[in-house]
Amino acid sequence: MTTATFGRPSRSLWHFLEHQFRRYRTTWRATIVSGLVSPMLFLGSIGFGLGSQIDDTSSLGTLDYASFVGPGVLAGAAMIQGASLGLWPTLGAIKWEGTYQAALTTPLTAAELATGHILWIGFRVFVGSALYVVVLTLFGISESWLAVFAPFIAAFTGIAFGGVISAFAATQDRDNAFGLITRVVIAPLFLFSGAFFPTSQLPLVAQWVAAVLPVSHAVELCRHLITGQFDAATDGLHFAVLMAWLGLGWFLVIRSFTKRLSS
Amino acid sequence: MSSGPASAIKATGLTKRFGDFVAVAGIDLEVEPGETFSLLGPNGAGKSSTMKMVSTVSPITEGELTILGLDPSAEGREIRQRMGVVPQEDNLDQELTVRENLVIYARYFGLSWAQAKERADELLSFAQLTDRADAAVEPLSGGMKRRLTIARSLVNTPELVLLDEPTTGLDPQARHLLWERLYQLKEQGVTLLLTTHYMDEAEQLSDRLVIMDQGTIVTQGSPTALIAEHVTNEVLELRFADGPPADLDQHGWRIETLPDRSLVYADRGEDALRRLAELDVHPTGSLIRRSTLEDVFLALTGRTLVE
C-alpha cells in the first residue's frame, strides 16, 4: 500500500488530461474549426482588407499591414480562447455537471485538478494556434523558423488568462457576469493591445495598463518570432511578463479551486 | 480488541463550522469494517457535512477523524484510493458514454486500460446496464443514473463506500433494486456508510445507525435496539374528525399528536384500541403498525423526519 503512493501526483494529473482527451474526441473538429476561423476572419478583413488601404507601413516595422496584424491576432485570439475556456467550462464542471467534484473522489487532489484544468486550456489554445501559424506561413507572413515557437507563446497566453479567469469563474454560482467580462474586459484588451496598431499610439495611461497586462507582450513576442524581428533583450522582457502572469494565474486557480471544491 | 482490525471510520469530537454556523457539533462515531452504518436525520442535521469530511474533501474544523486507519488531512490520496463515493447528486460525465464513465474513472485509480475495461464490464453487469453500455448518459432514467454512479464508485474495488442519500428521488421499484445491490456489496464485506432521511431505508440496510439532529447525535444503536429502547413495539394511529379528545394522554400511554393524526404508543395496539372503545373514545379511523425509526426520532426530538 505505501509503495503504491510514490510518484502518484504526476499520474493523477495525467489521468485528468486523459479524461479531457476522451471528452474532446467527440468535439475536436468543431472546436478546432471555430478556434481557427476567428483569427482568420481578422486576418482577412483587417489584415488584408483594411491593409489594402494602407500604403506606408514603415513605422510598423513590417513589410505590409497583414504581416503586422496576422501575428498580433494570434496572441489576441489565444487570450480570447483562454478566457472563454476559463469561464463556461469551469462553471460547467464545478456547478452544472459536477464532474470536477467527481474527479476529486479519486486520488486526484484539488491542486492537481486546477493544474490539469489550465494545462488543458493551454493544449486547446496550442492546437488552434499551431494551425493558424500554418495559415500565416501559407500566406507568406511567417518569415522566420522561430515561428514554430509562436504557438507555445499563444498557449502560455491562453494559460495566463485562462488561469486568472477560471479562478474568478470558480467563485461564481451563475454565468451572469461572464458576458460582461467578455465584452468589457476581453474585447477591449483584444482591440487595444497592439494587435491592430502599436500601443505607442494609445494615451499614456492606457499604455501603462497595456504594459502591465500580458497580452500586449504576447502580441509583440508572437510578431517578433513570426516576422523575424526577434530580439533577445526586448523579447526576454516580454516573455518574463507573460510568465509572471502565467504563474499568477496558476497560483490563483489552485487557490480558488481548492476553496470552492474542498471546504 | 487491540489485535482486531482497525475501525473503518473513527471520529472523536468531530466538528465542522462554516463561519459562525455549526454544521457538525462534536460527534463521536466508530464504524467497524464490514458494517453498514447509517446517518439518519432530517435535512440540515449535519449528515452531508459529516460525509464530506469522511470523503476527505472537506477539512475538519476540530476533533479527530481517521478513515481506514489513516489521517484524511495528510493521507487523503491514500484514503481515496481505497474508498468509493456516491454523491447526493449524480455527477456523471455527460460527454462520455455509460461504459466510458466507468473506464475513464477507473484510470484515475491506476488501473491499466485492459483492467479498466474488464472492471467496467463487470460493473455494468452488476448495475444491470450492460445493454446500455455504449449509450449516452443523459437519456438514462433516474434509477439507471444512480446505479451507474454507484457502479462508478466501485471501480477501485473499495473497502469503504460512502453513499449520500442513495435513493432520494427514486421510485419504489428503483429503490428496491438499489437496496438489493447494496446488500450484495455488504455480503462481499464492503463497509458502507450511508446517509438517508428515509427511516425504512435505514432500517432495511443498517447494522447500526446514528440519528442526527442539528449537528449532534441524538442516539445510536441497531435499528431494533433503538426501537426497543425508545418506543413500544406497536403504534396505534388514530384519526379524529374534530381533533383528538383532550384527555387522550390521561390513560397511561405516551401520545404524539401530529397535525393529521394522533399516535398511541402501546406494546399491543389491538388491546389499546379495545381499551379506548371502553373509555368511549371513538376515532374516525385507526391503524395498528409496527414501530419504526421515525417514531424513535419523533420520541427524541418531537419532530418528524421528512418535513
Side-chain angles (χ1 to χ4, degrees):
Chain A
M1 275 303 165
T2 49
T3 51
T5 63
F6 184 75
R8 200 174 280 150
S10 59
R11 267 182 27 211
S12 284
L13 183 56
W14 169 248
H15 293 138
F16 175 82
L17 293 172
E18 195 178 82
H19 183 176
Q20 305 310 310
F21 273 110
R22 182 59 69 105
R23 287 169 61 94
Y24 196 46
R25 265 199 344 195
T26 49
T27 55
W28 68 275
R29 290 174 203 86
T31 58
I32 284 178
V33 168
S34 68
L36 190 58
V37 160
S38 110
M40 280 175 64
L41 286 174
F42 282 103
L43 175 66
S45 67
I46 310 288
F48 292 114
L50 181 63
S52 69
Q53 306 300 306
I54 300 169
D55 299 327
D56 181 12
T57 59
S58 56
S59 66
L60 300 175
T62 52
L63 281 175
D64 52 37
Y65 187 60
S67 304
F68 181 80
V69 168
V73 162
L74 170 64
M79 169 189 70
I80 292 177
Q81 199 189 356
S84 53
L85 287 172
L87 288 171
W88 289 276
T90 301
L91 199 58
I94 286 176
K95 175 85 188 173
W96 299 319
E97 293 181 25
T99 46
Y100 280 3
Q101 279 87 345
L104 288 182
T105 62
T106 74
L108 186 77
T109 66
E112 288 163 357
L113 171 68
T115 306
H117 172 85
I118 56 170
L119 278 176
W120 180 247
I121 291 177
F123 171 79
R124 292 279 302 271
V125 173
F126 180 86
V127 173
S129 301
L131 289 169
Y132 179 65
V133 169
V134 171
V135 170
L136 290 180
T137 309
L138 296 176
F139 280 107
I141 289 170
S142 300
E143 292 172 52
S144 165
W145 66 271
L146 288 174
V148 298
F149 293 112
F152 290 97
I153 299 302
F156 294 153
T157 311
I159 292 175
F161 275 92
V164 174
I165 297 275
S166 298
F168 163 77
T171 65
Q172 300 294 296
D173 276 317
R174 296 176 196 177
D175 65 349
N176 293 356
F178 290 7
L180 196 68
I181 287 174
T182 311
R183 282 189 291 275
V184 176
V185 181
I186 302 300
L189 283 179
F190 179 63
L191 296 171
F192 297 101
S193 288
F196 303 103
F197 59 89
T199 52
S200 59
Q201 302 302 306
L202 290 168
L204 198 60
V205 177
Q207 286 191 41
W208 277 104
V209 174
V212 172
L213 294 174
V215 65
S216 66
H217 298 281
V219 164
E220 286 285 289
L221 255 174
C222 286
R223 185 174 288 140
H224 293 168
L225 288 168
I226 291 170
T227 58
Q229 298 168 304
F230 186 76
D231 171 73
T234 351
D235 290 313
L237 185 64
H238 290 317
F239 187 70
V241 175
L242 181 58
M243 294 317 276
W245 274 91
L246 187 147
L248 178 70
W250 190 15
F251 168 77
L252 291 177
V253 76
I254 287 180
R255 208 180 60 162
S256 180
F257 276 27
T258 304
K259 194 165 177 228
R260 176 69 182 254
L261 294 167
S262 38
S263 60
Chain B
M1 278 306 276
S2 58
S3 61
S7 307
I9 302 165
K10 189 173 189 332
T12 315
L14 183 62
T15 302
K16 183 72 190 185
R17 279 193 293 269
F18 298 97
D20 289 337
F21 175 71
V22 183
V24 180
I27 62 168
D28 299 336
L29 56 85
E30 192 163 0
V31 180
E32 303 297 334
E35 193 172 30
T36 297
F37 195 96
S38 297
L39 311 176
L40 178 66
N43 289 331
K47 307 183 305 279
S48 288
S49 295
T50 304
M51 273 314 218
K52 282 189 177 141
M53 288 189 278
V54 176
S55 74
T56 78
V57 165
S58 171
I60 70 173
T61 312
E62 258 168 45
E64 283 173 34
L65 178 65
T66 57
I67 300 144
L68 302 168
L70 301 170
D71 171 7
S73 66
E75 297 161 301
R77 191 192 295 279
E78 290 76 8
I79 294 169
R80 292 194 296 277
Q81 179 68 34
R82 295 161 57 190
M83 183 166 71
V85 179
V86 178
Q88 212 174 96
E89 310 261 331
D90 291 321
N91 51 19
L92 298 161
D93 193 327
Q94 313 272 344
E95 301 281 326
L96 304 179
T97 65
V98 168
R99 181 190 274 115
E100 281 174 336
N101 261 282
L102 299 176
V103 173
I104 291 295
Y105 208 72
R107 292 281 299 154
Y108 277 102
F109 291 93
L111 276 72
S112 70
W113 284 106
Q115 288 168 332
K117 283 172 185 159
E118 193 185 325
R119 185 73 184 140
D121 286 338
E122 281 168 28
L123 289 170
L124 285 171
S125 149
F126 172 81
Q128 300 185 0
L129 287 168
T130 305
D131 55 342
R132 304 298 287 260
D134 298 313
V137 169
E138 209 276 315
L140 297 184
S141 72
M144 286 175 168
K145 281 184 185 158
R146 210 71 191 128
R147 295 207 300 275
L148 180 57
T149 306
I150 291 175
R152 191 185 64 182
S153 77
L154 302 175
V155 290
N156 55 331
T157 324
E159 296 158 53
L160 168 66
V161 180
L162 313 182
L163 301 117
D164 200 355
E165 300 193 4
T167 67
T168 297
L170 298 186
D171 61 52
Q173 202 188 348
R175 291 180 75 200
H176 282 96
L177 179 56
L178 265 182
W179 286 356
E180 193 263 319
R181 297 290 115 163
L182 296 180
Y183 277 128
Q184 277 191 28
L185 287 178
K186 189 175 148 75
E187 291 292 304
Q188 293 164 19
V190 179
T191 309
L192 303 176
L193 176 67
L194 62 120
T195 74
T196 180
H197 53 234
Y198 298 125
M199 52 176 178
D200 57 338
E201 183 160 284
E203 268 189 84
Q204 285 274 340
L205 295 173
S206 322
D207 297 313
R208 283 193 308 140
L209 60 96
V210 294
I211 295 182
M212 291 185 75
D213 190 38
Q214 295 173 337
T216 60
I217 290 177
V218 184
T219 188
Q220 57 181 309
S222 71
T224 44
L226 286 176
I227 290 167
E229 186 181 338
H230 296 284
V231 289
T232 50
N233 283 338
E234 291 183 343
V235 181
L236 171 61
E237 292 199 1
L238 303 176
R239 287 171 200 271
F240 296 93
D242 306 314
D247 63 348
L248 190 61
D249 58 354
Q250 302 299 310
H251 308 301
W253 302 295
R254 197 171 65 75
I255 309 289
E256 290 284 349
T257 305
L258 302 178
D260 58 334
R261 67 211 139 109
S262 298
L263 308 183
V264 178
Y265 288 90
D267 278 320
R268 288 180 54 82
E270 203 66 54
D271 294 351
L273 192 59
R274 204 174 304 121
R275 171 107 179 84
L276 282 168
E278 289 163 19
L279 290 163
D280 207 24
V281 175
H282 300 289
T284 49
S286 65
L287 167 79
I288 296 163
R289 61 167 173 81
R290 198 171 63 84
S291 292
T292 66
L293 288 170
E294 175 96 45
D295 300 303
V296 174
F297 186 78
L298 192 62
L300 291 170
T301 69
R303 289 177 295 114
T304 51
L305 267 172
V306 184
E307 59 277 36

